Amino acid sequence: MVTGKPLFTAEQIQSRVRELADRISSDYGGKNLLAVGILRGAFMFYSDIVRMIRVPLSVDFIVASSYLKTSTTGEVKVHYDIREDIKDKDVLLIEDIVDSGITLNYIRERILARSPASLRICAFLDKRGRREVDVPLDYVGFQISNEYVVGYGLDYDNKFRNLPYISIFKKNR
Ligand code: 5GP
C-alpha cells in the first residue's frame, strides 16, 4: 500500500525538475544534445524535463531491467537499445532512481563504448546509501533514504506509475 502523505508532492517535483532543466539548459548551450531516457521508470520525469530544457535536443530511449540485485555482478538486460548514432553526440542519460547503481553503470559503460562526445547522467532520485557500484551523477533531483518509493513513473508490480507524486510503498502483511 501507498503510505501517508507524499514524500514529494507534484508541486515540489515540478519546481525541482525546473531547477534541473535550467542548469542543463545553461550547461548545454551550443551542444549536440541527445536526451536518452531509461524506460520504463523514467518516462514521466523524462517527458517533464525535456519540455523544460531550453536548448535544441534529440530524443531516444533504452529499455532495460536488472535482476539478481543483491549481487554487484547483477545482470542487466537491455530489451530495446538506443537507435541514434551516438558518436559525437553529447548524451544526457535520464534515469528515474539509482539504488545499487548496477543498472546505470552497465548502461553508462555500454554508451561510452560507442564513443559519444560526452556523457552526463541526470537521475530524479538517488538512494546514495545503497550504492554498490560507484557511478557519477551530474544532476540529481532528490536524495532519499532506503525506502521503496512509487509514483511519478516508479512502480510496484507495474502499478502506481501514474501517480503525479512520490510516495513510500509498504507491502501489506
Ligand atoms: P539499481 O540497479 O541502481 O540497483 O536499480 C535501479 C532500478 O531499480 C531503478 O531503475 C528502478 O527500476 C528500481 N528501483 C530501485 N529502487 C526503487 C524504488 O524505491 N522504487 C521503485 N519503484 N523502483 C526502484
mmCIF file of all heavy atoms in Angstrom, residues 28-46:
data_model
loop_
_atom_site.group_PDB
_atom_site.id
_atom_site.type_symbol
_atom_site.label_atom_id
_atom_site.label_comp_id
_atom_site.label_asym_id
_atom_site.label_seq_id
_atom_site.Cartn_x
_atom_site.Cartn_y
_atom_site.Cartn_z
ATOM 1 N N TYR A 28 24.375 23.102 -21.591
ATOM 2 C CA TYR A 28 24.398 22.502 -22.928
ATOM 3 C C TYR A 28 24.190 23.496 -24.077
ATOM 4 O O TYR A 28 23.965 23.069 -25.205
ATOM 5 C CB TYR A 28 23.361 21.375 -23.025
ATOM 6 C CG TYR A 28 23.842 20.075 -22.394
ATOM 7 C CD1 TYR A 28 23.633 19.816 -21.053
ATOM 8 C CD2 TYR A 28 24.538 19.124 -23.143
ATOM 9 C CE1 TYR A 28 24.083 18.642 -20.460
ATOM 10 C CE2 TYR A 28 24.990 17.946 -22.564
ATOM 11 C CZ TYR A 28 24.761 17.710 -21.220
ATOM 12 O OH TYR A 28 25.211 16.550 -20.646
ATOM 13 N N GLY A 29 24.298 24.775 -23.806
ATOM 14 C CA GLY A 29 24.153 25.745 -24.895
ATOM 15 C C GLY A 29 25.146 25.453 -26.022
ATOM 16 O O GLY A 29 26.331 25.242 -25.760
ATOM 17 N N GLY A 30 24.679 25.387 -27.261
ATOM 18 C CA GLY A 30 25.554 25.166 -28.411
ATOM 19 C C GLY A 30 26.036 23.737 -28.587
ATOM 20 O O GLY A 30 26.819 23.435 -29.491
ATOM 21 N N LYS A 31 25.572 22.833 -27.721
ATOM 22 C CA LYS A 31 25.997 21.426 -27.825
ATOM 23 C C LYS A 31 25.000 20.610 -28.661
ATOM 24 O O LYS A 31 23.895 21.053 -28.952
ATOM 25 C CB LYS A 31 26.109 20.819 -26.418
ATOM 26 C CG LYS A 31 27.162 21.470 -25.537
ATOM 27 C CD LYS A 31 28.427 20.650 -25.573
ATOM 28 C CE LYS A 31 29.602 21.332 -24.918
ATOM 29 N NZ LYS A 31 29.603 21.281 -23.499
ATOM 30 N N ASN A 32 25.435 19.396 -28.992
ATOM 31 C CA ASN A 32 24.645 18.497 -29.817
ATOM 32 C C ASN A 32 23.902 17.501 -28.922
ATOM 33 O O ASN A 32 24.241 16.317 -28.889
ATOM 34 C CB ASN A 32 25.645 17.782 -30.735
ATOM 35 C CG ASN A 32 25.007 17.228 -31.965
ATOM 36 O OD1 ASN A 32 23.801 17.346 -32.152
ATOM 37 N ND2 ASN A 32 25.800 16.591 -32.800
ATOM 38 N N LEU A 33 22.910 17.999 -28.166
ATOM 39 C CA LEU A 33 22.330 17.206 -27.066
ATOM 40 C C LEU A 33 21.395 16.085 -27.539
ATOM 41 O O LEU A 33 20.462 16.310 -28.306
ATOM 42 C CB LEU A 33 21.576 18.164 -26.129
ATOM 43 C CG LEU A 33 20.851 17.575 -24.923
ATOM 44 C CD1 LEU A 33 21.767 16.738 -24.049
ATOM 45 C CD2 LEU A 33 20.214 18.680 -24.082
ATOM 46 N N LEU A 34 21.688 14.885 -27.035
ATOM 47 C CA LEU A 34 20.800 13.734 -27.235
ATOM 48 C C LEU A 34 20.342 13.275 -25.847
ATOM 49 O O LEU A 34 21.155 12.820 -25.032
ATOM 50 C CB LEU A 34 21.530 12.588 -27.945
ATOM 51 C CG LEU A 34 20.755 11.268 -28.059
ATOM 52 C CD1 LEU A 34 19.532 11.422 -28.964
ATOM 53 C CD2 LEU A 34 21.647 10.140 -28.588
ATOM 54 N N ALA A 35 19.041 13.418 -25.570
ATOM 55 C CA ALA A 35 18.498 13.026 -24.265
ATOM 56 C C ALA A 35 17.995 11.589 -24.362
ATOM 57 O O ALA A 35 17.077 11.295 -25.137
ATOM 58 C CB ALA A 35 17.356 13.958 -23.869
ATOM 59 N N VAL A 36 18.614 10.699 -23.578
ATOM 60 C CA VAL A 36 18.255 9.279 -23.624
ATOM 61 C C VAL A 36 17.543 8.902 -22.327
ATOM 62 O O VAL A 36 18.135 8.945 -21.242
ATOM 63 C CB VAL A 36 19.509 8.399 -23.816
ATOM 64 C CG1 VAL A 36 19.140 6.916 -23.735
ATOM 65 C CG2 VAL A 36 20.195 8.697 -25.145
ATOM 66 N N GLY A 37 16.281 8.523 -22.439
ATOM 67 C CA GLY A 37 15.502 8.113 -21.268
ATOM 68 C C GLY A 37 15.629 6.623 -21.039
ATOM 69 O O GLY A 37 15.616 5.832 -21.981
ATOM 70 N N ILE A 38 15.771 6.253 -19.767
ATOM 71 C CA ILE A 38 15.830 4.830 -19.417
ATOM 72 C C ILE A 38 14.421 4.417 -18.992
ATOM 73 O O ILE A 38 13.886 4.902 -17.999
ATOM 74 C CB ILE A 38 16.862 4.562 -18.303
ATOM 75 C CG1 ILE A 38 18.235 5.103 -18.713
ATOM 76 C CG2 ILE A 38 16.932 3.066 -18.002
ATOM 77 C CD1 ILE A 38 19.341 4.929 -17.678
ATOM 78 N N LEU A 39 13.834 3.550 -19.787
ATOM 79 C CA LEU A 39 12.443 3.140 -19.546
ATOM 80 C C LEU A 39 12.415 1.811 -18.800
ATOM 81 O O LEU A 39 13.373 1.069 -18.857
ATOM 82 C CB LEU A 39 11.720 2.990 -20.897
ATOM 83 C CG LEU A 39 11.649 4.290 -21.720
ATOM 84 C CD1 LEU A 39 10.948 4.033 -23.041
ATOM 85 C CD2 LEU A 39 10.961 5.393 -20.943
ATOM 86 N N ARG A 40 11.310 1.511 -18.051
ATOM 87 C CA ARG A 40 10.112 2.284 -18.159
ATOM 88 C C ARG A 40 10.032 3.423 -17.131
ATOM 89 O O ARG A 40 9.315 4.403 -17.321
ATOM 90 C CB ARG A 40 8.905 1.344 -17.943
ATOM 91 C CG ARG A 40 8.713 0.402 -19.129
ATOM 92 C CD ARG A 40 7.598 -0.553 -18.899
ATOM 93 N NE ARG A 40 8.079 -1.640 -18.048
ATOM 94 C CZ ARG A 40 7.333 -2.686 -17.724
ATOM 95 N NH1 ARG A 40 6.081 -2.776 -18.140
ATOM 96 N NH2 ARG A 40 7.823 -3.652 -16.969
ATOM 97 N N GLY A 41 10.749 3.279 -16.031
ATOM 98 C CA GLY A 41 10.545 4.146 -14.866
ATOM 99 C C GLY A 41 10.705 5.631 -15.111
ATOM 100 O O GLY A 41 10.066 6.444 -14.455
ATOM 101 N N ALA A 42 11.584 6.014 -16.059
ATOM 102 C CA ALA A 42 11.888 7.444 -16.230
ATOM 103 C C ALA A 42 10.911 8.161 -17.161
ATOM 104 O O ALA A 42 11.107 9.337 -17.439
ATOM 105 C CB ALA A 42 13.323 7.613 -16.743
ATOM 106 N N PHE A 43 9.853 7.466 -17.612
ATOM 107 C CA PHE A 43 9.044 8.093 -18.678
ATOM 108 C C PHE A 43 8.428 9.425 -18.264
ATOM 109 O O PHE A 43 8.372 10.375 -19.054
ATOM 110 C CB PHE A 43 7.966 7.124 -19.209
ATOM 111 C CG PHE A 43 6.724 7.014 -18.366
ATOM 112 C CD1 PHE A 43 5.610 7.791 -18.646
ATOM 113 C CD2 PHE A 43 6.662 6.130 -17.305
ATOM 114 C CE1 PHE A 43 4.454 7.690 -17.876
ATOM 115 C CE2 PHE A 43 5.510 6.023 -16.532
ATOM 116 C CZ PHE A 43 4.409 6.806 -16.810
ATOM 117 N N MET A 44 8.001 9.558 -17.010
ATOM 118 C CA MET A 44 7.308 10.785 -16.600
ATOM 119 C C MET A 44 8.315 11.910 -16.339
ATOM 120 O O MET A 44 8.130 13.045 -16.788
ATOM 121 C CB MET A 44 6.468 10.504 -15.350
ATOM 122 C CG MET A 44 5.313 11.457 -15.205
ATOM 123 S SD MET A 44 4.226 11.048 -13.835
ATOM 124 C CE MET A 44 3.181 9.788 -14.528
ATOM 125 N N PHE A 45 9.382 11.569 -15.635
ATOM 126 C CA PHE A 45 10.457 12.535 -15.387
ATOM 127 C C PHE A 45 11.029 13.019 -16.716
ATOM 128 O O PHE A 45 11.233 14.218 -16.933
ATOM 129 C CB PHE A 45 11.536 11.847 -14.535
ATOM 130 C CG PHE A 45 12.757 12.672 -14.264
ATOM 131 C CD1 PHE A 45 12.653 13.998 -13.853
ATOM 132 C CD2 PHE A 45 14.032 12.121 -14.395
ATOM 133 C CE1 PHE A 45 13.797 14.761 -13.590
ATOM 134 C CE2 PHE A 45 15.164 12.871 -14.128
ATOM 135 C CZ PHE A 45 15.046 14.195 -13.735
ATOM 136 N N TYR A 46 11.248 12.079 -17.623
ATOM 137 C CA TYR A 46 11.820 12.405 -18.931
ATOM 138 C C TYR A 46 10.928 13.399 -19.674
ATOM 139 O O TYR A 46 11.398 14.427 -20.172
ATOM 140 C CB TYR A 46 11.981 11.114 -19.745
ATOM 141 C CG TYR A 46 12.615 11.313 -21.092
ATOM 142 C CD1 TYR A 46 13.984 11.163 -21.259
ATOM 143 C CD2 TYR A 46 11.849 11.654 -22.209
ATOM 144 C CE1 TYR A 46 14.579 11.353 -22.491
ATOM 145 C CE2 TYR A 46 12.433 11.853 -23.436
ATOM 146 C CZ TYR A 46 13.798 11.690 -23.577
ATOM 147 O OH TYR A 46 14.380 11.888 -24.793
#
